[in-house]
Amino acid sequence: MERWKGRVALVTGASVGIGAAIARALVQHGMKVVGCARNVDKIEKLAAECESAGYAGTLVPYKCDLTSEEEILSMFSAIKTLHQGVDVCINNAGLAHPEPLLSGRTEYWRNMIDVNVIAMSICTREAYQSMKERNIDDGHIININSMSGHRVVPTSATHFYSATKYAVTALTEGLRQELQEAKTHIRATSVSPGLVETEFAFRLYNSDPEKAAATYENLKCLKAEDLADAVVYILSAPPHVQIGDIQMKPTEQRS
């Protein structure tokens, strides 16, 4: 990770869970991390914790609603002005609503598409353009995907969410191909976790906290820190190694 010291990483959805763990890990390794979310209170608290712990890097909180292209473009403009640009882009922000295919509400389907697919694609495009205009040839774009981007489980509440994650799988491979066509050594990687103990289930089943809690009670789940370790491993790989996709799930998880 030595070569990343002092360089800039953008982590979307950095206020809680996987995003917060990744932001913390990159700051520990000396990176300047711009952590964005709609609510930055928790990122500001995390930034203070990183500073008091004496970590080598810094965490810069940034308020951004990823469903607004205007706000995303404004964020990248601010990063360019204040920190030159983005060297690593971690597309972590994602969400699920329990909206089945036969009875789901269109507005919630659209929200999942907007955050999980469109926002990720805009951030990817802008991160690449930021790297290109500064002749950065060793940047990295990492998409936090899901095992739901590789198989469909018989749970109607997550079928549409799964479709958005299948899109992430296709977009990451498409990105890798386009980066090769552009004759650049910028790399693209997808990380696909199974059950991770975060606020995800509580947001998915926000009207049924008991059901949400039960999601994590039947087996020893992955921790957000496990995902952060995977991201550090990816960024630590030598320049000639491109890790396409890390699929990881709890040892006890069946599918």
Side-chain angles (χ1 to χ4, degrees):
M1 289 294 288
E2 197 64 31
R3 70 187 179 91
W4 295 112
K5 277 193 174 173
R7 298 182 71 180
V8 179
L10 170 65
V11 180
T12 65
S15 59
V16 294
I18 295 167
I22 291 170
R24 182 194 293 272
L26 298 185
V27 172
Q28 279 181 284
H29 284 282
M31 295 194 76
K32 186 179 290 181
V33 179
V34 177
C36 81
R38 284 176 300 177
N39 186 335
V40 293
D41 292 352
K42 289 177 180 174
I43 306 178
E44 286 169 351
K45 187 182 172 195
L46 179 59
E49 287 173 14
C50 290
E51 190 175 350
S52 63
Y55 293 160
T58 53
L59 176 56
V60 182
Y62 195 95
K63 184 178 172 63
C64 181
D65 180 353
L66 292 168
T67 62
S68 164
E69 181 172 14
E70 189 179 337
E71 288 198 27
I72 296 174
L73 297 181
S74 176
M75 174 174 66
F76 273 91
S77 178
I79 294 170
K80 180 179 180 178
T81 302
L82 299 170
H83 314 291
Q84 282 74 57
V86 171
D87 301 309
V88 171
C89 180
I90 315 284
N91 288 309
N92 164 72
L95 52 80
H97 298 295
E99 302 292 332
L101 302 180
L102 300 182
S103 59
R105 291 166 288 183
T106 307
E107 64 189 290
Y108 290 102
W109 289 345
R110 191 166 281 125
N111 185 232
M112 284 186 270
I113 290 281
D114 284 345
V115 176
N116 300 0
V117 180
I118 302 296
M120 186 196 80
S121 298
I122 296 171
C123 288
T124 296
R125 181 189 68 202
E126 296 305 310
Y128 170 71
Q129 293 299 331
S130 173
M131 295 173 202
K132 185 182 175 187
E133 66 186 25
R134 292 173 298 124
N135 296 314
I136 298 297
D137 195 49
D138 65 342
H140 213 128
I141 296 165
I142 299 174
N143 296 328
I144 304 302
N145 194 353
S146 168
M147 285 304 298
S148 290
H150 302 277
R151 75 327 183 225
V152 180
V153 295
T155 305
S156 60
T158 61
H159 286 161
F160 195 92
Y161 166 76
S162 187
T164 68
K165 289 302 186 176
Y166 264 80
V168 172
T169 301
L171 289 167
T172 308
E173 174 57 19
L175 173 63
R176 188 191 66 77
Q177 293 179 17
E178 289 192 27
L179 289 169
Q180 280 198 329
E181 287 168 12
K183 306 257 188 300
T184 175
H185 292 96
I186 296 167
R187 289 176 285 181
T189 305
S190 166
V191 184
S192 303
L195 272 177
V196 187
E197 194 171 345
T198 62
E199 293 184 5
F200 183 87
F202 291 94
R203 291 179 174 180
L204 175 63
Y205 302 116
N206 58 8
S207 59
D208 191 349
E210 286 185 10
K211 185 174 183 178
T215 304
Y216 302 128
E217 285 171 359
N218 298 326
L219 71 163
K220 186 172 176 58
C221 298
L222 298 176
K223 303 288 186 190
E225 290 73 22
D226 298 325
L227 275 291
D229 289 344
V231 167
V232 169
Y233 169 72
I234 291 161
L235 291 175
S236 302
H240 70 286
V241 176
Q242 173 145 241
I243 296 161
D245 186 23
I246 291 181
Q247 294 184 23
M248 54 195 296
K249 57 187 179 182
T251 304
E252 298 170 3
Q253 185 177 342
R254 285 187 177 179
S255 59

